[in-house]
Amino acid sequence: MIDPLRAIFGPERVTENERDLIAYSYDASGQKQIPTAVVFPKTADEIRKAILYCNRINASLIPRGFGTGTTAATIGSKAIILDMTSMNALYNLDKSARTADLEPGISLASLHSYLQKNGLTFPIRPYIKTHTTLGGVFARNDLSPGSYRLGRAIQHIKQLEYLDGTGKHYSLKDNFDRVVGCEGTTGIITRIIISLESVFTSTASITAYTDKDALLQAVSSLKRRSDILSIDYLNKKAATAIGLPHSHHLIIEYYSNAGDAREPADVNSILQKRDGIYDVLRLKGYQYWEDVSSDDILHLITICEEDDLPCFGPIGLSTLFFCYTQKDILLRSALHDLGLHADMHLGSAFGYGRTKKNYVPHDTKKKIIALKQEYDYGNILNRGALIDFR
Amino acid sequence: MKNCNLCGNCNLICPVFRLHRKETRSNRNKAFICKEGTPTSEAYSFLLDGSIKTACPAGIDVDEVLIKLRSHLILRGRETPANKELIDNLRRYKTPYGKKRKDYPGLVT
């Protein structure tokens, strides 16, 4: 297998060395699957050639960024791993049009810091702060606190280039959902023009509720307002962890002056509580996170209360993150069972990958199967993730 | 190491990862080897620069675990020849290079 790959990528950018294969056998999911080879493309044409080669030998090709996903979407046994992190160019930043033309291997952290220096921002900052690439953000169609108003990652694309499972190149100006949110199963993104926002000032409030009904009423009345940027919830246990009173809390960010905190330092201090909760809970031993969505948010809050788990997240988007320690393995598997039967949905924020493919909604499955039949009939792209195809 | 979920935050400031953009021999790869816990010569393939503890959201000192793994190897006589030579040189010449310090005019001590 290695010689044809060397012919495409050159000897330096292909490996089947055991040490390298082990290093690419894991991500943050706790799973381990040893690939056959790892390649490091620098151009879309190299990826195209790799796709054609995989079609010839019927091998799976798995695009991977920093491999920090929690659902084993970027690992696979007997697969060729396409490490996209060398494709990290920023071709152009158009300040007046507020767009950036990028390759998908760019680190989200470097992008944020570069944009900040230029007075712009890309509003997607995933909740679970991991070292991620822009490609990963679009593969999962990530959400962040501001997604309540500004939408998920897909809402911030102007133009997108990708290769399908036959090596054909596409440049899209709409219908991005053909590839975004599909976790590399329908296409490999090679270039993206993203839309940016100017750095804006917001105001914020943090409010405590002793009663769950009062909390839910407050959420529903906040949802009727038009000046809300984000509505985030912290349950009693999560609030206590960050030094707040033992109550349910809402952290609300406003576009307008409606927030109690208006001075930038005060606003930051509130938002840092929201953004810092991941770090605090990790230090307390919470290392597993489940993203759970439901229209019945009271049910989610009650589960966490009964199981004595911290939880937080974008209640405005009907999604909460449940936090587990290693000792909570039974509670976690109980939630996985419940997710299959109850009116709730797991995986909508952190992706489905291989570990959560049982939770992929029927419509999404149908869409991906249809796209696979048309654009990746050989099932080359990320075989085994999200769906079982052919 | 039980509290490490290989989240990869440690690679954000890993000097090896930033230079090569490869997972192999990165901070997270070091954490993985320590998590596996099997003392092999791999334990000598990583830097002990302390960056991993700074970046770890769970505050795990992986370098400390790696040092213990190396100790196990030495106690079992399975350290690498290169490491053995380096330690011998340090004991005999006070430098890792096998010559006395005075023979290295440019050596910063």
Side-chain angles (χ1 to χ4, degrees), chain A residues 55-104:
Chain A
N55 271 290
R56 278 205 300 279
I57 62 161
N58 190 24
S60 173
L61 189 64
I62 301 180
R64 172 177 165 127
F66 292 145
T68 51
T70 56
T71 60
T74 57
I75 56 172
S77 56
K78 296 178 186 167
I80 297 173
I81 303 290
L82 198 63
D83 183 321
M84 300 289 290
T85 58
S86 301
M87 287 181 65
N88 58 359
L90 193 156
Y91 291 115
N92 183 35
L93 175 69
D94 188 335
K95 283 189 186 179
S96 56
R98 289 186 307 197
T99 59
D101 183 358
L102 310 140
E103 284 186 327

Side-chain angles (χ1 to χ4, degrees), chain A residues 10 16 18 25 52 72 74 90 100 127 146 242 247 252 259 274 276-277 286 289 308 316 379:
Chain A
E16 55 174 5
E18 195 190 345
S25 69
L52 295 178
T74 57
L90 193 156
Y127 274 91
I242 56 167
S247 307
I252 308 137
R274 176 192 72 191
I277 190 156
Y286 291 93
W289 313 80
D308 194 28
N379 195 15

Side-chain angles (χ1 to χ4, degrees), chain A residues 19-20 22-28 32 40 64 66-68 83 85-86 88 105 107 109 129-131 278-279 282-283 285-289 326, chain B residues 2-13 17 20-26 28-30 32-33 35-36 41-42 45 56-60:
Chain A
R19 278 184 176 180
D20 292 329
I22 287 172
Y24 283 84
S25 69
Y26 56 80
D27 60 3
K32 187 179 165 188
F40 302 86
R64 172 177 165 127
F66 292 145
T68 51
D83 183 321
T85 58
S86 301
N88 58 359
S107 142
K129 282 189 276 179
T130 49
H131 184 31
Y278 168 77
D279 292 334
R282 277 294 281 128
L283 273 175
Y286 291 93
Q287 54 175 312
Y288 302 111
W289 313 80
Q326 202 159 47
Chain B
K2 278 185 186 171
N3 201 11
C4 172
N5 62 0
L6 299 173
C7 70
N9 267 16
C10 50
N11 276 355
L12 190 61
I13 59 163
F17 187 84
H20 298 293
R21 290 230 157 196
K22 271 179 79 174
E23 184 73 24
T24 318
R25 301 202 176 92
S26 66
R28 181 165 63 161
N29 193 207
K30 174 163 63 178
F32 177 79
I33 297 293
K35 214 171 149 63
E36 294 273 287
S41 58
E42 273 286 275
S45 307
C56 177
I60 302 166

Side-chain angles (χ1 to χ4, degrees), chain A residues 140-199:
Chain A
R140 292 180 299 266
N141 191 16
D142 271 344
L143 59 78
S144 61
S147 295
Y148 175 72
R149 179 60 57 201
L150 301 170
R152 294 180 72 136
I154 196 167
Q155 262 87 43
H156 303 279
I157 306 175
K158 284 270 182 200
Q159 199 173 330
L160 182 148
E161 291 181 18
Y162 77 99
L163 295 160
D164 74 4
T166 65
K168 194 172 169 193
H169 175 267
Y170 296 85
S171 181
L172 298 180
K173 289 196 172 171
D174 50 22
N175 295 324
F176 303 125
D177 65 342
R178 272 195 210 173
V179 63
V180 173
C182 297
E183 302 187 31
T185 57
T186 57
I188 296 173
I189 299 171
T190 53
R191 194 163 170 169
I192 322 163
I193 299 180
I194 55 173
S195 56
L196 307 167
E197 302 280 333
S198 299
V199 174

Side-chain angles (χ1 to χ4, degrees), chain A residues 379-390:
Chain A
N379 195 15
I380 298 309
L381 302 178
N382 211 353
R383 187 181 292 164
L386 271 75
I387 56 159
D388 291 313
F389 180 69
R390 298 181 70 217

Side-chain angles (χ1 to χ4, degrees), chain A residues 350-371:
Chain A
F350 306 152
Y352 304 99
R354 285 171 177 76
T355 58
K356 293 229 179 93
K357 63 198 232 185
N358 290 339
Y359 306 97
V360 178
H362 184 66
D363 289 352
T364 311
K365 263 186 191 167
K366 239 170 102 177
K367 181 190 88 176
I368 292 174
I369 288 171
L371 288 166

